[in-house]
């Protein structure tokens, strides 16, 4: 299986397993993924799947050090005083001693407290003026505890991650963001390479998730004729070609599924594409972003990036 080197020296497997949604199915799905050969599992506090993920890992019999595990800090715990406890809560639910990667899930801070989506009196999201750089510095302190092997961010704009890099003692190891053949963000990807920050793509199938469907107006990414056509050459599906594209570009991917057969098919998306096929896929970039929570979160995300809502 393809792996990439992080700036910490650790290796991250190219194909990870995403665990957002379907909380009740995740323990079984993660167990299935581990059985199929996945060694990179992605969860987050807000997904509510940490317990299921931890159970599956512990019951798998696979040595902990062979699994690369990511979780993420939620927006209501951005205050530097809350970060250490937030990690403890995640580790308690996982039932594990450490995570390989801890990410700031979004650059916006919600009101402190236990409420996951706090609302103000006007019914709008209750945000707080906490600088994500201060949150990141609190993450840096966790590295020396051994409970976190690497740190990074998710869903940051170029300006936001640049500010983190400029102020960090420990540079981000990973930036997790939406990426797929319809949202390639090539200039942004090159910036990360230049700065030694690994990019992980969530939603690598674009609008495969029912939350992102746009009433059939644009079709499904995995049925894009270019991907399907290339797939025939390698005896692969359009979905597998979408994954291979990202891996060939140097990014890791987080497909998710609860179907054993699909779980196995996704890990087979790790294969080599010819340069001519990569060129063809570069030609289908539609700058289409499916996950933009700007309105729901009361914060303008992805400023200056392809597919941003404003």
């Amino acid at each position: 299986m393809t792996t990439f080197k992080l700036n910490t020296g650790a290796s991250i497997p190219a194909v990870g397993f995403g665990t957002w949604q379907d909380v009740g199915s995740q323990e079984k799905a993660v167990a299935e993924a581990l059985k199929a050969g996945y060694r990179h599992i992605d969860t987050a506090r807000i997904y509510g799947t940490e317990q299921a993920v931890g159970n599956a890992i512990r019951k798998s019999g696979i040595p902990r050090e062979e699994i690369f595990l990511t979780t993420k800090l939620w927006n209501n715990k951005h205050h530097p005083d809350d970060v250490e406890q937030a990690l403890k809560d995640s580790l308690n639910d996982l039932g594990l001693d450490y995570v390989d990667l801890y990410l700031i899930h979004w650059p916006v801070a919600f009101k402190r407290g236990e409420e996951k989506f706090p609302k103000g009196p006007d019914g709008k999201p209750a945000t707080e003026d906490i600088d994500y750089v201060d949150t990141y510095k609190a993450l840096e302190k966790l590295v020396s505890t051994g409970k976190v092997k690497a740190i990074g961010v998710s869903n940051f704009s170029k300006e936001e991650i640049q500010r983190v890099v400029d102020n960090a003692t420990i540079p981000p190891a990973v930036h997790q963001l939406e990426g797929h053949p319809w949202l390639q963000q090539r200039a942004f990807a090159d910036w990360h390479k230049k700065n030694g920050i690994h990019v992980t793509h969530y939603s690598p199938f674009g609008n495969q998730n029912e939350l992102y469907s746009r009433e059939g107006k644009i079709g499904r990414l995995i049925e894009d004729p270019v991907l399907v056509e290339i797939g025939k050459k390698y005896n692969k599906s359009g979905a597998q070609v979408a994954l291979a594209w990202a891996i060939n570009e140097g990014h890791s991917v987080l497909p998710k599924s609860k179907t054993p057969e699909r779980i196995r098919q996704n890990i087979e998306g790790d294969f080599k594409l010819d340069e001519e096929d990569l060129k063809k896929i570069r030609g289908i970039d539609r700058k289409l972003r499916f996950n933009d929570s700007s309105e729901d979160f009361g914060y303008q995300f992805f400023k200056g990036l392809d597919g941003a809502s404003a």
Side-chain angles (χ1 to χ4, degrees):
M1 189 200 277
T2 303
T3 60
F4 298 110
K5 262 283 188 270
L6 299 181
N7 58 23
T8 59
S11 290
I12 186 169
V15 184
F17 188 72
T19 63
W20 176 44
Q21 298 177 314
D22 305 314
V23 176
S25 322
Q26 288 303 343
E27 186 174 335
K28 210 168 148 206
V30 173
E32 202 61 57
L34 291 168
K35 214 160 63 185
Y38 290 77
R39 292 297 179 266
H40 172 186
I41 310 290
D42 181 87
T43 182
R45 191 65 185 156
I46 195 63
Y47 300 169
T49 55
E50 287 173 326
Q51 221 165 351
V53 166
N55 287 345
I57 288 172
R58 288 196 316 278
K59 290 175 188 172
S60 69
I62 296 161
R64 171 66 188 91
E65 63 276 11
E66 287 180 20
I67 297 169
F68 189 99
L69 176 65
T70 302
T71 195
K72 311 178 197 80
L73 177 80
W74 187 238
N75 309 343
N76 61 341
K77 300 292 177 185
H78 271 217
H79 193 285
D81 294 347
D82 297 336
V83 170
E84 191 180 2
Q85 186 58 50
L87 172 67
K88 270 187 196 154
D89 293 342
S90 284
L91 290 174
N92 284 343
D93 274 4
L94 287 160
L96 299 170
D97 297 332
Y98 70 92
V99 289
D100 296 273
L101 179 63
Y102 198 40
L103 303 177
I104 298 178
H105 205 151
W106 294 89
V108 62
F110 286 172
K111 186 172 168 242
R112 289 177 80 182
E114 293 316 305
E115 236 180 308
K116 301 282 197 294
F117 289 95
K119 296 264 190 282
D122 54 2
K124 290 189 174 149
T127 58
E128 263 194 55
D129 192 13
I130 299 167
D131 191 337
Y132 51 78
V133 168
D134 294 332
T135 310
Y136 187 83
K137 285 182 171 172
L139 259 68
E140 289 182 323
K141 288 181 183 159
L142 300 173
V143 176
S144 59
T145 68
K147 291 174 181 171
V148 165
K149 304 284 184 196
I151 54 174
V153 299
S154 177
N155 297 306
F156 275 48
S157 70
K158 175 149 184 251
E159 196 181 307
E160 287 161 347
I161 192 166
Q162 183 73 64
R163 271 195 71 225
V164 170
V165 168
D166 292 345
N167 292 282
T169 311
I170 300 171
V174 172
H175 188 183
Q176 191 180 121
L177 43 81
E178 180 183 344
H180 43 78
W182 283 357
L183 182 67
Q184 299 188 17
Q185 306 190 85
R186 303 195 61 78
F188 200 28
D190 290 345
W191 179 90
H192 285 86
K193 281 200 179 98
K194 206 176 81 204
N195 285 275
I197 300 166
H198 177 71
V199 168
T200 296
H201 285 172
Y202 69 74
S203 300
F205 301 139
N207 58 342
Q208 176 70 358
N209 191 305
E210 61 278 8
L211 267 182
Y212 305 151
S213 67
R214 295 195 185 165
E215 313 329 313
K217 278 183 251 171
I218 53 172
R220 291 158 81 212
L221 163 75
I222 60 173
E223 289 163 3
D224 186 295
V226 171
L227 300 180
V228 172
E229 197 48 48
I230 290 169
K232 286 178 188 161
K233 174 174 159 184
Y234 299 91
N235 199 19
K236 299 280 187 180
S237 66
Q240 288 168 326
V241 172
L243 296 176
W245 162 78
I247 296 166
N248 280 255
E249 293 284 3
H251 314 309
S252 48
V253 285
L254 298 171
K256 62 186 209 49
S257 176
K258 45 186 182 180
T259 322
E261 192 189 348
R262 191 114 3 97
I263 288 170
R264 285 192 293 274
Q265 284 168 358
N266 288 342
I267 203 167
E268 286 163 15
D270 182 5
F271 65 96
K272 192 96 187 78
L273 285 167
D274 291 344
E275 190 52 45
E276 63 182 287
D277 295 320
L278 283 170
K279 273 197 187 115
K280 282 180 198 161
I281 297 170
R282 283 171 199 149
I284 65 168
D285 187 4
R286 295 164 70 169
K287 302 184 179 8
L288 261 179
R289 185 181 293 279
F290 295 105
N291 182 9
D292 189 342
S293 302
S294 297
E295 215 173 300
D296 298 338
F297 289 10
Y299 181 99
Q300 187 55 59
F301 296 116
F302 315 120
K303 275 187 194 158
L305 295 181
D306 288 348
S309 57

